[in-house]
Amino acid sequence: MTKGTGVSGTRCLVDVRADGRYGWRLVAQNGRVVARSGQCFADHAACRAAFAALCAGHAAMGGGVQHTATGNGWVWLLRDADGHPAAYSGRAYERHSTCRAAYARFRALLTAEAAQWTSTALW
């Protein structure tokens, strides 16, 4: 299901995973995944609530760029107030500078459009 889009055409999709849990992904107008949920959720409502919390509280969340688990590349990560992952990059980046720029664009996107996403009732 799709959450409404803002100026950029970015949309939030909620997916059911193979294990029956839910996760969201933010997809750009060109189809590329910008970000994914940092956790899996037991039901659709909990997933929606987590995305709404991200939109509402992103300014107070910390995050940054780090190596991938294998050490071959870079990913960005955003953490909630409890230190749990709230969102992470949609892909790994070869260069630290490219990943850092993608993280900055994601934070700017949240600043510019999060209020529109939380005010849209479509899912």
Side-chain angles (χ1 to χ4, degrees), residues 57-64 77-81 84 86-87 103 107:
H58 67 88
M61 293 181 183
L77 178 69
L78 191 62
R79 294 187 181 277
D80 65 17
H84 299 114
Y103 175 64
R107 295 299 296 247

Side-chain angles (χ1 to χ4, degrees), residues 58-116:
H58 67 88
M61 293 181 183
V65 174
Q66 63 187 37
H67 276 290
T68 61
T70 61
N72 295 331
W74 300 90
V75 292
W76 58 258
L77 178 69
L78 191 62
R79 294 187 181 277
D80 65 17
D82 296 327
H84 299 114
Y88 63 93
S89 56
R91 66 179 183 95
Y93 296 86
E94 186 176 314
R95 298 174 191 242
H96 182 270
S97 60
T98 307
C99 187
R100 190 177 59 235
Y103 175 64
R105 284 191 305 272
F106 174 68
R107 295 299 296 247
L109 183 66
L110 285 175
T111 299
E113 298 194 21
Q116 295 173 30

Side-chain angles (χ1 to χ4, degrees), residues 14-17 19-24 37 39-47:
V14 175
D15 301 317
V16 180
R17 298 172 190 234
D19 64 358
R21 297 176 56 89
Y22 293 79
W24 59 261
S37 56
Q39 301 177 46
C40 294
F41 304 93
D43 56 44
H44 191 270
C47 186

